[in-house]
Amino acid sequence: MVKNINIKTRSRNEFVDITAELQALIDEAGIESGMCCIYVPHTTAGVTINEGADPSVVKDIQVALSKLVPHSANYLHTEGNSDAHIKSTLAGSSQTVIIDGGKLLLGTWQSVFFCEFDGPRHRRATVKIVSD
Ligand code: ZN
């Protein structure tokens, strides 16, 4: 089964916690044990897993990424969003999480974040849930 999570981002750089939406899809599918693959079909966005308890962690990640990859530099791509393409590659386009006991097998402090690098936009994360 393939499902989409629709995401409306509000700023150029934004991390959206989609953990609850993913868990709702697993609940809806009634799967107790399996795998959940989250795929982001965009070239200027990504998906990552990191701390969801303290929002300053996400802020620190965003600040560090923006220092590493500035908005303006001598990029060849003329669309003005090369930084977003590079950040997308750094974050990656997919994550896979084990499902155990009907729950995403995340660590206590972990959340799954959709990573916007060229918002605001209408986006989606595609989710494939496989039962074993
Ligand atoms: Zn571009």
Side-chain angles (χ1 to χ4, degrees):
M1 110 178 185
V2 176
K3 296 276 184 178
N4 283 304
I5 296 173
N6 295 307
I7 300 151
K8 187 180 184 302
T9 59
R10 288 173 171 75
S11 53
R12 186 153 197 276
N13 286 281
E14 184 179 349
F15 280 26
V16 181
D17 188 336
I18 58 169
T19 313
E21 284 88 346
L22 292 168
Q23 188 59 54
L25 291 178
I26 293 162
D27 293 347
E28 185 186 303
I31 288 169
E32 281 296 307
S33 179
M35 303 291 277
C36 177
C37 177
I38 307 106
Y39 180 75
V40 169
H42 303 290
T43 61
T44 56
V47 60
T48 194
I49 298 174
N50 214 298
E51 172 151 350
D54 179 0
S56 59
V57 173
V58 160
K59 294 257 186 269
D60 285 344
I61 293 169
Q62 289 172 315
V63 168
L65 282 174
S66 292
K67 278 185 189 162
L68 202 62
V69 190
H71 189 179
S72 298
N74 292 324
Y75 300 121
L76 299 177
H77 181 55
T78 55
E79 219 178 16
N81 63 354
S82 280
D83 61 322
H85 288 290
I86 295 164
K87 288 175 179 176
S88 167
T89 284
L90 290 174
S93 295
S94 71
Q95 293 286 338
T96 304
V97 183
I98 296 165
I99 301 165
D100 187 51
K103 303 285 176 205
L104 286 170
L105 198 57
L106 292 167
T108 306
W109 310 111
Q110 286 182 315
S111 291
V112 182
F113 291 97
F114 175 90
C115 309
E116 176 63 83
F117 299 120
D118 195 24
R121 288 175 189 252
H122 288 279
R123 301 289 206 173
R124 74 178 195 272
T126 302
V127 182
K128 175 78 178 176
I129 298 170
V130 181
S131 178
D132 62 20

